[in-house]
Amino acid sequence: MQTTLNRHTAQSPLQAEKTHFPFGIYKLEDDVANSHLISNAPHQHNSFELIWVAEGTGHYWIDNEQHEVGPNQVYCLTPGQVHQFKPERNIKGYVITFSQEFLLMPKENASLIFHSNSFRQLTGTTVIRLNEDVRTEMEDLVVKMLKEFDNFFLLRSEILRGLLNIFMIYLTRQYRPAAQPPSKQGNRTLVNKFFSIVEEKYMVFKLVADYADELAVTPNHLNEMVKKVSGFPASHHIRQRVVLEAKRLATYSGSSMKEIAYSLGFDDIAHFSKFFKNFSGRSFTDYKKEAMQQYLCI
């Protein structure tokens, strides 16, 4: 397996327009999917990805681990994973990409959405084998997503988000995590408790030490355990949860940056602005402008 990393960008004007949308769906046999997924070199993407192989065979390398590709398999990739897909013959299926903020809705709609911790459960696995009993229902959802994605009607993103959430629920029902050795089970229990506390107290607790005190462990131990399970230290997840909530509020609440900063526990708006840019990769103003264009049909 080669070690040079590539990133793909769409070429046509329509493809370029869709690239900026925080959701994408393509047929695996189409040129768009090929340019996005199939490469002569390992590469990374910044989005979550679901690769559903409906027919055909081949090989898939994910983080230097080789997998045999076969029918009725869905590969679940999180942002930053290094992967290389090499189909052999008669490959058919679908590629679905989405950002985390696209899947998650504001808290008042929490009962209707796929909770962030639920998707995190998929992070430790690579492939889910589909049950034939639900494949028809899942294919029907995919066909509807493909049709809606190719249109630009009112509330397009809301329909796509709803269909994606249902698809993810079907997928999660079929997820069977591999058995963990007792030592790793203990690590995962600690990490799951950490994520639960983050979800409850991210507006108040900003330091790893705050969470370590709650869990009665040292900050170094917590960072190490979280990194072993998730690939990132505890500090990364704390910051990203705050950034995610800031993105939600910027997109859905209509609040100003000052109001959002204060609601997330920042007394200094300049500190919040710097924090957001450092850990999201763009300024708050730029993000809000793009989000309004992407999520609201004006």
Side-chain angles (χ1 to χ4, degrees):
M1 184 176 178
Q2 302 178 41
T3 56
T4 303
L5 300 184
N6 286 347
R7 293 183 182 273
H8 297 298
T9 56
Q11 300 300 316
S12 72
L14 178 58
Q15 292 171 11
E17 183 177 2
K18 289 181 176 179
T19 299
H20 294 290
F21 193 66
F23 172 88
I25 181 168
Y26 314 97
K27 290 185 178 180
L28 193 55
E29 58 268 31
D30 287 352
D31 291 339
V32 174
N34 288 337
S35 66
H36 178 84
L37 179 64
I38 301 172
S39 171
N40 291 326
H43 56 279
Q44 299 170 296
H45 299 292
N46 293 324
S47 57
F48 289 100
E49 301 192 13
L50 304 174
I51 295 89
W52 178 359
V53 178
E55 298 179 19
T57 59
H59 296 86
Y60 205 172
W61 285 266
I62 304 173
D63 288 336
N64 294 317
E65 183 177 352
Q66 181 177 341
H67 301 269
E68 296 292 329
V69 171
N72 296 329
Q73 295 178 349
V74 178
Y75 293 86
C76 307
L77 276 70
T78 52
Q81 283 193 282
V82 180
H83 62 117
Q84 184 178 15
F85 186 78
K86 288 193 172 182
E88 290 181 353
R89 64 178 185 274
N90 301 327
I91 202 75
K92 290 185 179 181
Y94 310 96
V95 179
I96 302 174
T97 70
F98 56 92
S99 65
Q100 188 176 26
E101 57 265 29
F102 179 80
L103 185 63
L104 302 181
M105 292 288 286
K107 286 183 176 179
E108 57 266 26
N109 294 326
S111 62
L112 302 178
I113 62 94
F114 203 79
H115 195 272
S116 58
N117 284 341
S118 298
F119 190 82
R120 190 178 291 116
Q121 293 173 3
L122 298 177
T123 305
T125 190
T126 302
V127 60
I128 296 174
R129 185 173 295 279
L130 298 185
N131 188 324
E132 283 289 348
D133 293 339
V134 297
R135 173 171 171 161
T136 301
E137 286 83 353
M138 294 180 72
E139 283 186 320
D140 182 56
L141 289 166
V142 167
V143 169
K144 290 178 179 178
M145 282 190 278
L146 282 165
K147 182 178 180 180
E148 192 66 34
F149 186 59
D150 285 335
N151 294 321
F152 292 88
F153 297 140
L154 184 67
L155 299 178
R156 169 176 176 252
S157 63
E158 301 305 321
I159 292 175
L160 287 169
R161 184 182 293 110
L163 292 170
L164 176 60
N165 271 286
I166 298 171
F167 183 88
M168 292 294 291
I169 291 170
Y170 275 118
L171 187 61
T172 304
R173 285 177 175 177
Q174 297 166 87
Y175 170 56
R176 298 292 181 270
Q180 298 281 339
S183 60
K184 289 191 176 181
Q185 288 177 3
N187 293 344
R188 189 168 290 277
T189 298
L190 174 67
V191 172
N192 287 341
K193 288 180 179 179
F194 162 74
F195 281 128
S196 295
I197 298 173
V198 170
E199 197 64 30
E200 293 174 5
K201 300 188 176 182
Y202 65 90
M203 290 188 180
V204 180
F205 289 175
K206 298 295 193 296
L207 302 177
V208 176
D210 296 328
Y211 295 91
D213 287 343
E214 289 279 309
L215 294 165
V217 297
T218 67
N220 286 342
H221 179 72
L222 181 58
N223 260 328
E224 183 181 351
M225 293 302 100
V226 173
K227 188 172 183 179
K228 281 184 178 180
V229 172
S230 71
F232 296 95
S235 55
H236 168 85
H237 294 289
I238 296 167
R239 292 191 295 260
Q240 290 304 312
R241 184 61 186 87
V242 176
V243 168
L244 175 59
E245 193 64 22
K247 288 179 175 180
R248 284 176 173 170
L249 293 171
T251 303
Y252 296 105
S253 72
S255 300
S256 67
M257 180 167 68
K258 182 178 180 180
E259 291 169 332
I260 292 173
Y262 288 166
S263 73
L264 293 175
F266 291 84
D267 295 328
D268 184 352
I269 191 172
H271 179 206
F272 171 77
S273 179
K274 183 178 180 180
F275 173 91
F276 188 91
K277 186 171 185 178
N278 285 344
F279 299 113
S280 73
R282 51 191 153 168
S283 72
F284 179 88
T285 302
D286 288 345
Y287 174 81
K288 187 170 184 178
K289 186 184 300 182
E290 292 172 11
M292 295 301 290
Q293 293 172 349
Q294 292 171 350
Y295 294 112
L296 301 179
C297 298
I298 300 176

